[in-house]
Amino acid sequence: MPDSTTATLERGRAAQIAEDRLHKGDMVLLQAGDLVPADLELVEARGLQVDEWELTGELRPVEKRVGEEAVYLYRGSRVTRGSGKGIVVATGAETEYGEILQLWEQEIRRRPP
């Protein structure tokens, strides 16, 4: 995960905020080139494609659309095309990416030197 990412937060009007200041329930605006700063439930998408390679190994960007079922974007993914809005559902170590890092660290500690 890159160092000190910022997010565009919608609280009446768009504003930049450090990702470590995001809270559950915040509305995040996304556009092409953005890193997803937290796990988000997608509520709006316009031609949105996301590179999720670091989490899923998927080689190509995945199109994301709002539909009948909940659609999620995960911290560490990169928006490659389009724009969207999502509600923060997890931040930091509580994200899918954070949980993967914790499992990796536990595995490293278990290995003999």
Side-chain angles (χ1 to χ4, degrees), residues 1-2 35 51-58 75-77 97 100:
M1 191 71 204
L35 281 176
D51 178 354
E52 300 175 325
W53 182 83
E54 286 193 38
L55 291 171
T56 66
E58 189 82 30
R75 178 181 180 213
S77 300
Y97 191 86
I100 290 168

Side-chain angles (χ1 to χ4, degrees), residues 33-96:
D34 287 348
L35 281 176
V36 178
D39 288 358
L40 308 173
E41 181 175 353
L42 192 62
V43 296
E44 186 177 304
R46 290 177 300 282
L48 187 64
Q49 290 186 355
V50 180
D51 178 354
E52 300 175 325
W53 182 83
E54 286 193 38
L55 291 171
T56 66
E58 189 82 30
L59 294 175
R60 296 177 189 243
V62 177
E63 187 170 353
K64 298 288 186 171
R65 295 181 183 175
V66 177
E68 293 179 18
E69 294 182 22
V71 176
Y72 295 93
L73 302 177
Y74 299 101
R75 178 181 180 213
S77 300
R78 181 174 298 280
V79 177
T80 58
R81 179 179 287 172
S83 62
K85 288 183 186 180
I87 298 171
V88 175
V89 295
T91 61
E94 295 176 353
T95 64
E96 292 293 320

